[in-house]
Amino acid sequence: MASDTLHRRGLMFILSSPSGAGKTTIARRMLEHDAEIRMSVSVTTRPIRPGEVDGADYIFSDQPGFDRMVEEGAFMEWARVFGHCYGTPKAQIKAGLKAGQDFLFDIDWQGTQQLYQKAETDVVRVFLLPPSLSELQRRLTGRGTDSAEVIAARMARAQAEISHWDGYDYVIVNDDIDECFAKVCQILAAERMRRARQTGLIPFVRGLTAGG
Ligand code: 5GP
């Protein structure tokens, strides 16, 4: 058996950043280039944006529906962000990890903390920083999908979000999207090789040492 076909446990790859730091682009590229990682689709109460697909970008819910899921314990974590609720549904993730499926999470620092407390050894935390606040403003304005008020609120929120940079395992300053993507891929590749994740190693090594 080749060592790259050994069974391993999946991981939870968390990508956080203030809005506009490139997280969405990096996440999209990861999903395009790597067949072994899948997006964890969150439930949210915020209104759907143009171009978004219900069930793919988010599962859009009303507040009573979200509250019901909280009561039923259906979330691995949930948080209120920009006045709306966001949560990670538990279903699929637990079984997926066991089967070797990796999940990509686009969640904020609050969700990251909760997931880390619940599943420390499965979690890899990556934070993207913008090269400057003025570049962040330019990127948020350039996107053109949000009102001036929303952009202003997000700029204020960005500084608060950035203050949580030290709750992450890896921090990347995203001043070049290609370089940033390459760094993210390196982190993912290395984390997949952690001994504790490679659950197939024990029988494999036993085979290597048998009769020695
Ligand atoms: P947006 O509304 O722009 O898609 O996302 C707003 C913020 O909510 C982002 O910082 C995003 O990372 C965060 N977010 C999205 N889904 C979840 C989730 O399931 N849990 C938590 N804690 N944050 C989330």
Side-chain angles (χ1 to χ4, degrees):
M1 187 198 287
S3 59
D4 63 353
T5 59
L6 293 179
H7 187 267
R8 70 171 176 85
R9 187 170 165 77
L11 52 80
M12 298 197 262
F13 199 89
I14 304 178
L15 207 49
S16 294
S17 77
S19 294
K23 181 179 54 178
T24 310
T25 308
I26 295 291
R28 197 179 302 130
R29 281 205 198 176
M30 286 177 80
L31 297 167
E32 280 167 10
H33 284 82
D34 193 322
E36 286 179 51
I37 197 159
R38 203 162 75 196
M39 195 77 202
S40 162
V41 182
S42 299
V43 180
T44 185
T45 60
R46 86 142 157 74
I48 191 163
R49 292 194 192 124
E52 285 185 328
V53 177
D54 191 6
D57 296 292
Y58 283 104
I59 297 157
F60 294 91
S61 166
D62 57 11
Q63 193 66 52
F66 193 95
D67 294 343
R68 215 174 309 121
M69 287 185 75
V70 172
E71 276 166 33
E72 289 165 356
F75 290 122
M76 280 189 97
E77 63 76 33
W78 71 274
R80 194 176 287 275
V81 188
F82 308 132
H84 297 293
C85 292
Y86 295 80
T88 303
K90 234 187 243 170
Q92 291 184 5
I93 296 203
K94 282 198 164 181
L97 290 175
K98 204 172 170 193
Q101 173 70 56
D102 297 324
F103 291 97
L104 178 59
F105 290 80
D106 172 353
I107 60 176
D108 78 335
W109 66 273
Q110 305 171 80
T112 304
Q113 272 186 355
Q114 290 181 56
L115 282 191
Y116 187 73
Q117 280 159 10
K118 282 193 184 149
E120 183 181 330
T121 54
D122 290 327
V123 165
V124 179
R125 301 165 296 177
V126 180
F127 196 80
L128 305 185
L129 285 172
S132 67
L133 215 55
S134 55
E135 175 61 17
L136 183 68
Q137 172 111 44
R138 199 189 63 77
R139 290 180 190 174
L140 282 180
T141 310
R143 195 157 69 180
T145 52
D146 300 308
S147 67
E149 288 86 348
V150 169
I151 292 167
R154 289 202 169 170
M155 282 302 291
R157 173 88 191 183
Q159 274 139 316
E161 186 79 19
I162 287 168
S163 70
H164 299 284
W165 69 282
D166 57 351
Y168 288 77
D169 304 304
Y170 301 91
V171 179
I172 305 172
V173 178
N174 180 16
D175 45 16
D176 179 282
I177 198 83
D178 294 328
E179 271 177 37
C180 180
F181 177 59
K183 287 172 185 167
V184 167
C185 291
Q186 285 163 0
I187 294 166
L188 179 57
E191 286 287 345
R192 280 174 172 160
M193 285 185 282
R194 272 190 187 273
R195 177 169 52 83
R197 294 209 168 93
Q198 297 197 62
T199 45
L201 269 180
I202 293 174
F204 178 72
V205 174
R206 206 174 280 147
L208 288 179
T209 55

